[in-house]
Amino acid sequence: MEIKIQDLEHIREAAREFVENIGDRTVFAFYGHMGAGKTTFIKAICEELGVEDVITSPTFAIVNEYSPDSSLLSPDSSIFHFDFYRIKKLEEVYDMGFEDYFYSGSLCLIEWPELIEEVLPDDAVKVTITEQPDGSRTVSF
């Protein structure tokens, strides 16, 4: 599936379309160059799911947990937002207990998954964000 994000004014519409199409899948691996809009799109997804917390990239924390206020996720479900950009070795991912997150049934939104691909669940959904020459973005999954 492809979703076009014409500009920032339309990102919530794109996030809404994304949320409507996630089905029962829970682990999403976001690929894209630096500045492609991964964090911005994940923020819009979280907002669509009713997260009222301040949503920021977990670049230094590696993972942020958000509590959605949404009937679109199961009760007591969390959203885990990962940024593995600063991971130096895979042992760091093992040390943080990645299995507890990825196999929790909670929504996991992962930036820089190429650094941890060997531990991603087999059913992780690959999401690619590509910047177009006109400045718009295409989200493919």
Side-chain angles (χ1 to χ4, degrees):
M1 172 169 210
E2 280 195 359
I3 300 171
K4 179 144 181 152
I5 305 171
Q6 191 59 43
D7 52 38
L8 281 176
E9 290 179 21
H10 296 94
I11 196 164
R12 287 289 297 267
E13 294 167 20
R16 188 173 310 117
E17 187 176 351
F18 183 86
V19 168
E20 289 169 356
N21 287 284
I22 63 174
D24 60 354
R25 297 168 290 187
T26 57
V27 179
F28 294 85
F30 287 80
Y31 294 81
H33 295 292
M34 181 80 70
K38 296 180 295 295
T39 301
T40 304
F41 190 58
I42 289 172
K43 179 179 184 223
I45 291 168
C46 290
E47 290 170 349
E48 278 303 307
L49 290 169
V51 172
E52 295 179 3
D53 301 325
V54 174
I55 302 162
T56 59
S57 178
T59 302
F60 294 100
I62 301 176
V63 62
N64 287 343
E65 180 178 2
Y66 304 116
S67 298
D69 180 21
S70 173
S71 61
L72 297 171
L73 298 176
S74 59
D76 300 322
S77 186
S78 293
I79 298 172
F80 295 108
H81 177 193
F82 298 86
D83 184 336
F84 289 114
Y85 183 74
R86 296 197 179 279
I87 291 294
K88 302 263 187 276
K89 40 190 173 161
L90 204 53
E91 288 77 28
E92 294 175 64
V93 181
Y94 284 101
D95 290 345
M96 71 176 285
F98 75 93
E99 302 99 333
D100 294 339
Y101 297 103
F102 292 177
Y103 299 100
S104 68
S106 291
L107 188 61
C108 294
L109 307 173
I110 304 165
E111 295 186 54
W112 301 104
E114 49 270 82
L115 301 174
I116 61 146
E117 280 185 332
E118 62 192 80
V119 299
L120 285 175
D122 292 337
D123 62 349
V125 178
K126 181 178 181 178
V127 181
T128 304
I129 301 178
T130 308
E131 184 176 6
Q132 303 302 317
D134 66 358
S136 67
R137 306 296 197 268
T138 302
V139 179
S140 305
F141 61 103

